[in-house]
């Protein structure tokens, strides 16, 4: 679990609590069933109160074959009584044993844009941000392996983000950034 309390000099304060529970069940010592349950609570207060609470349920099953591995799962998220369904899949295959493997996958999640995350990235933000989630979907593929004693990996991907936090300079006497 993780707990934090953050305050600034303008009477804004934020509390956060993140709890993760994870378990793995092995079948035939090769196939893994993973389950992750996560709660992420944030309460922000300045002149008004805001809260952003996320819940995640992430089951996945990984099958290991002779020359391939396949992971099939989902990331089911709930935020403000709205459900989001994200993929959590990956397939890899050994093309040349220990020299070249190819992989492809898709994953997604909610990224919280709270006062702590935003001010860590840009400490000059205003004290009244609108906290919300960014919705990510990531699709990728590539190759990996070992050649002449050196490990290598090459990957290409595409990531789509909805409600991404951006920073705009404001016109106040003390220059700061609005989110």
């Amino acid at each position: 679990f993780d707990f934090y309390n953050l305050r600034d000099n303008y009477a804004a304060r934020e509390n956060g609590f993140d709890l993760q529970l994870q378990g793995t069940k092995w079948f035939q010592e090769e196939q893994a069933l993973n389950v992750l349950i996560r709660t992420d609570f944030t309460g922000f207060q300045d002149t008004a109160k805001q809260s952003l609470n996320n819940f995640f349920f992430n089951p996945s099953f990984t099958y290991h074959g002779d020359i391939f591995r396949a992971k099939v799962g989902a990331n089911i998220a709930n935020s403000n009584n709205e459900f989001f369904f994200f993929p959590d899949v990956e397939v890899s295959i050994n093309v040349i044993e220990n020299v070249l493997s190819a992989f492809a996958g898709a994953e997604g999640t909610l990224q919280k844009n709270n006062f702590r995350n935003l001010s860590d990235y840009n400490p000059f933000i205003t004290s009244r941000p609108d906290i919300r989630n960014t919705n990510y979907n990531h699709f990728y593929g590539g190759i990996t392996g070992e050649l002449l004693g050196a490990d290598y990996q090459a990957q290409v991907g595409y990531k789509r983000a909805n409600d991404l936090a951006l920073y705009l300079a404001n016109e106040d006497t003390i220059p700061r950034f609005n989110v």
Side-chain angles (χ1 to χ4, degrees), residues 112-168:
K112 193 176 271 192
N113 294 319
N114 55 19
F115 189 55
R116 179 184 184 189
N117 295 347
L118 295 170
S119 64
D120 281 349
Y121 187 77
N122 183 349
F124 302 103
I125 64 170
T126 62
S127 295
R128 293 185 177 96
D130 182 22
I131 61 174
R132 63 177 67 188
N133 290 313
T134 297
N135 180 332
Y136 283 105
N137 282 299
H138 182 210
F139 305 95
Y140 59 93
I143 58 173
T144 185
E146 179 186 349
L147 186 60
L148 302 172
D151 293 336
Y152 67 90
Q153 179 174 345
Q155 178 176 319
V156 296
Y158 171 76
K159 186 181 273 190
R160 190 180 78 199
N162 293 330
D163 288 329
L164 182 65
L166 301 174
Y167 300 93
L168 298 172

Side-chain angles (χ1 to χ4, degrees), residues 3-8 11-17 40-46 48 50-52 112-120 125 127 129-132:
F3 174 78
Y4 71 90
N5 180 295
L6 177 69
R7 296 172 185 266
D8 73 358
R13 62 183 182 268
E14 181 175 84
N15 295 318
F17 180 74
D40 188 3
F41 303 114
T42 298
F44 178 77
Q45 183 174 350
D46 59 351
Q50 298 180 60
S51 64
L52 183 59
K112 193 176 271 192
N113 294 319
N114 55 19
F115 189 55
R116 179 184 184 189
N117 295 347
L118 295 170
S119 64
D120 281 349
I125 64 170
S127 295
D130 182 22
I131 61 174
R132 63 177 67 188

Side-chain angles (χ1 to χ4, degrees), residues 48-66:
K49 289 184 179 181
Q50 298 180 60
S51 64
L52 183 59
N53 301 321
N54 294 339
F55 302 92
F56 299 93
F57 178 64
N58 184 240
S60 67
F61 181 75
T62 304
Y63 180 81
H64 293 268
D66 291 335

